[in-house]
Amino acid sequence: MDEAVFADWALKICLTGLVVFLGFIVWNLGKESKAGKFGMFILFLVLGLGVFGFIFKNVLIEFFVLSK
């Protein structure tokens, strides 16, 4: 296994762990602040949009910039 393959796997595994940990933090924040169902929905929507933006950026780079 060369360094590029290891870095690719490590990035995917560590980012997945980070997103799960951030989900726990957001859930705990909503629970402690008594945000309710709508507040929890908004908190997780914002977290999900952030994750979606990061993934979408990587997809754009992979298909449009690196394909040339």
Side-chain angles (χ1 to χ4, degrees), residues 19-32:
V19 168
V20 169
F21 183 60
L22 285 173
F24 170 73
I25 291 172
V26 168
W27 174 77
N28 195 21
L29 175 71
K31 186 180 77 167
E32 286 184 2

Side-chain angles (χ1 to χ4, degrees), residues 37-50:
K37 289 182 182 180
F38 183 69
M40 260 324 186
F41 172 74
I42 295 298
L43 287 171
F44 278 105
L45 177 69
V46 171
L47 176 65
L49 287 174

